[in-house]
Amino acid sequence: MIGILLAGALAVAPAVLLAQPPLVEGIAAFRGGLYRKALELFEEEARGGNDSARLKYNIGVTLMKLRRYEEAGVYFQQLLQEPEWRDLARYNFALAAERNNRRIIAAKHYRQVSETSDSQKLRSLAATRLNALAAMSRRAGVKRWIGTASLSAGRDDNAYALQNALLKGSSVGADNFAEIFAWGQYQLEGITADGWRLHGYGYGRRYDEYDSLDLSSVSAALSRDRRWRGWLAEVGVSTEFIFLGGQQVTRQVQLLGRLTRDFGPSNLTLAYIPGYYLGGDDYAYLDGWRQRFEVRWQRPLLAAQARIFYRYDANDRADQVRDSADYYSYSPLRHSFGGVLDWSLSGNWLVTTGVEYRSSAYDGANRTTDIDGNVLTYRRESDRLKSWLATTFKLTPRLSLDGKFIVIDNEESLDSYTYDKTELSFGVRYIF
């Protein structure tokens, strides 16, 4: 056996010498400080069919030596589901995150190793790094705020979400748009896992021609985070204002309860979000309650991160009744299911793809009267399939280029509400 020593942590990766030249030469190159050569030989070994956890670990260690921390983290993350390697891989995953200036993620995994590892040595090392992170934060005065902002432009081929038949052979409904998004958070007291924080976001989309569809929203929230029986718990309250075509459509107040917990390499999140909407004089039919429950499961899948989710969305709104006694329901009951895959193709290139199916059934029977006095009564139901492909390319640790392609297929019980649309956008994002 040959041990590979990682600076700062006694991390031994034994390798059996079974006449495998790339592996043997790679270990020799690593011990001689020839890390680029070692990586080439280890990768050659992998291309030859060696898919062992030991080889993945050694590649990760070598990438650490080459300061390619994000790529190293990908290899360590793959080992979190291997019982024999889980604790060691988690420690090194945290170390890679720390050296990539992702201290919150690093602290989370250091803490888990310090609390659950069977190895006294690893528990001690993880606790030492936790203390070091805390000391660095104190010396730096603790950066209590973080934020991100993005600016993008794109093309929407059906901005009004018009019926498909109205779009055939016509450019009606297609328009260019620009989007801006900003999010920020300030730690009022304590730390991320135990404290109070103020956070919020602003969003705006402006169309070139259809300014009546210009959409904007702004939100502010106060949250309390703490650990509870092994879960990371969040309780909060928020308010949001939404504008369409420059006119306020709704304002809402909502409560938030969220629980998150790791189960081995997997992560489970549960959330309950009740809210009350006020539409004002012109949109009084939107007044009422909205209840949401969400569950999300995330875990590594080969070289990707996989997420599946379910969302229950119940609405009890005032709905709309017109002078002609026509009735329009704005109280849908929705079930949404979806899945997302994130691939890190390299240290600075991420690709994401996902799909979401949403089923909606509106409360009550709608009633409409046409210009001839004919009455149509129908129950509004819809099935929407949304899929997307997105990519992020990091120019620097803070600056990235983004692209996204979205396809939506919406089928409704009344043909006039059935539509398809696609959106393509490109933008730039900066993390503060």
Side-chain angles (χ1 to χ4, degrees):
M1 289 188 186
I2 293 180
I4 293 181
L5 186 64
L6 180 63
L10 190 57
V12 177
V16 181
L17 308 183
L18 296 177
Q20 300 178 58
L23 179 60
V24 175
E25 292 179 21
I27 292 172
F30 183 94
R31 296 181 68 185
L34 303 175
Y35 303 123
R36 293 186 184 278
K37 181 64 175 178
L39 180 62
E40 292 175 2
L41 290 164
F42 288 147
E43 290 177 338
E44 181 182 344
E45 178 73 15
R47 289 192 296 271
N50 188 341
D51 191 41
S52 68
R54 180 174 292 111
L55 180 60
K56 291 177 181 177
Y57 179 80
N58 287 348
I59 291 176
V61 171
T62 308
L63 287 167
M64 289 286 287
K65 288 289 189 179
L66 293 171
R67 299 184 179 182
R68 292 162 61 175
Y69 303 124
E70 190 158 352
E71 294 172 77
V74 171
Y75 281 92
F76 294 134
Q77 194 171 43
Q78 293 177 35
L79 301 177
L80 297 182
Q81 50 194 316
E82 300 281 348
E84 181 182 355
W85 294 86
R86 182 177 55 241
D87 294 340
L88 185 58
R90 187 179 298 281
Y91 176 85
N92 282 279
F93 178 76
L95 192 63
E98 178 187 349
R99 294 184 179 179
N100 202 31
N101 293 318
R102 301 169 69 185
R103 294 180 181 174
I104 294 176
I105 294 175
K108 169 187 172 182
H109 289 278
Y110 282 142
R111 182 176 291 107
Q112 187 164 348
V113 173
S114 69
E115 293 175 353
T116 64
S117 176
D118 293 332
S119 167
Q120 175 60 42
K121 182 172 292 185
L122 279 177
R123 290 200 304 271
S124 176
L125 287 167
T128 298
R129 294 311 311 154
L130 270 175
N131 292 335
L133 284 177
M136 283 190 293
S137 296
R138 287 193 295 269
R139 287 195 300 270
V142 184
K143 183 178 179 181
R144 307 195 70 84
W145 65 273
I146 57 174
T148 183
S150 65
L151 180 64
S152 60
R155 178 78 172 175
D156 184 342
D157 75 347
N158 188 1
Y160 275 105
L162 293 172
Q163 183 184 5
N164 296 339
L166 300 177
L167 299 176
K168 291 181 178 179
S170 171
S171 61
V172 173
D175 200 2
N176 299 321
F177 64 84
E179 278 186 331
I180 186 170
F181 174 80
W183 172 89
Q185 173 180 292
Y186 182 78
Q187 194 75 36
L188 295 171
E189 181 182 282
I191 60 175
T192 302
D194 187 6
W196 290 88
R197 58 191 169 93
L198 184 67
H199 52 104
Y201 68 84
Y203 167 80
R205 172 181 283 203
R206 180 176 294 275
Y207 285 92
D208 281 351
E209 298 180 25
Y210 304 133
D211 54 6
S212 64
L213 297 179
D214 291 348
L215 179 66
S216 60
S217 63
V218 60
S219 174
L222 176 67
S223 292
R224 172 70 168 99
D225 304 290
R226 61 167 297 179
R227 293 195 171 274
W228 178 72
R229 297 187 177 182
W231 295 79
L232 180 60
E234 176 189 354
V235 178
V237 60
S238 70
T239 182
E240 182 180 28
F241 297 85
I242 300 175
F243 302 83
L244 181 64
Q247 181 180 5
Q248 182 174 302
V249 177
T250 64
R251 56 192 184 277
Q252 69 160 316
V253 176
Q254 65 180 20
L255 303 177
L256 168 64
R258 180 179 286 120
L259 294 171
T260 302
R261 184 171 184 173
D262 290 332
F263 293 90
S266 302
N267 179 272
L268 175 66
T269 299
L270 307 173
Y272 173 57
I273 311 171
Y276 189 81
Y277 282 79
L278 287 170
D281 294 338
D282 294 331
Y283 297 92
Y285 53 86
L286 296 177
D287 292 357
W289 290 96
R290 182 186 189 187
Q291 310 278 344
R292 279 183 293 164
F293 172 75
E294 300 176 358
V295 57
R296 184 184 67 194
W297 179 262
Q298 177 175 316
R299 67 167 296 146
L301 179 64
L302 300 178
Q305 277 287 329
R307 299 192 302 277
I308 57 174
F309 62 87
Y310 165 73
R311 183 181 303 114
Y312 172 84
D313 188 342
N315 293 264
D316 183 12
R317 308 297 182 89
D319 303 320
Q320 187 177 49
V321 179
R322 293 185 174 174
D323 293 339
S324 60
D326 287 355
Y327 172 79
Y328 300 87
S329 174
Y330 288 87
S331 301
L333 175 64
R334 287 173 166 151
H335 300 276
S336 301
F337 308 85
V340 182
L341 285 176
D342 296 321
W343 285 282
S344 183
L345 300 184
S346 67
N348 57 352
W349 189 13
L350 176 69
V351 173
T352 299
T353 185
V355 63
E356 177 189 40
Y357 168 74
R358 188 183 74 184
S359 173
S360 303
Y362 288 75
D363 186 40
N366 285 7
R367 183 181 186 275
T368 61
T369 304
D370 63 22
I371 58 176
D372 297 322
N374 299 314
V375 177
L376 173 64
T377 301
Y378 63 94
R379 194 171 185 87
R380 186 178 177 187
E381 298 178 346
S382 68
D383 295 292
R384 190 189 76 170
L385 187 65
K386 177 181 179 180
S387 56
W388 63 91
L389 177 66
T391 181
T392 296
F393 186 82
K394 289 186 178 181
L395 299 176
T396 72
R398 294 178 180 271
L399 181 64
S400 63
L401 300 178
D402 299 330
K404 194 169 188 179
F405 180 66
I406 301 173
V407 177
I408 296 176
D409 179 10
N410 188 76
E411 300 285 338
E412 300 235 6
S413 53
L414 191 66
D415 287 343
S416 59
Y417 291 119
T418 295
Y419 68 90
D420 296 330
K421 72 183 300 179
T422 60
E423 293 183 9
L424 178 64
S425 62
F426 297 95
V428 61
R429 178 162 49 96
Y430 189 79
I431 299 175
F432 296 93

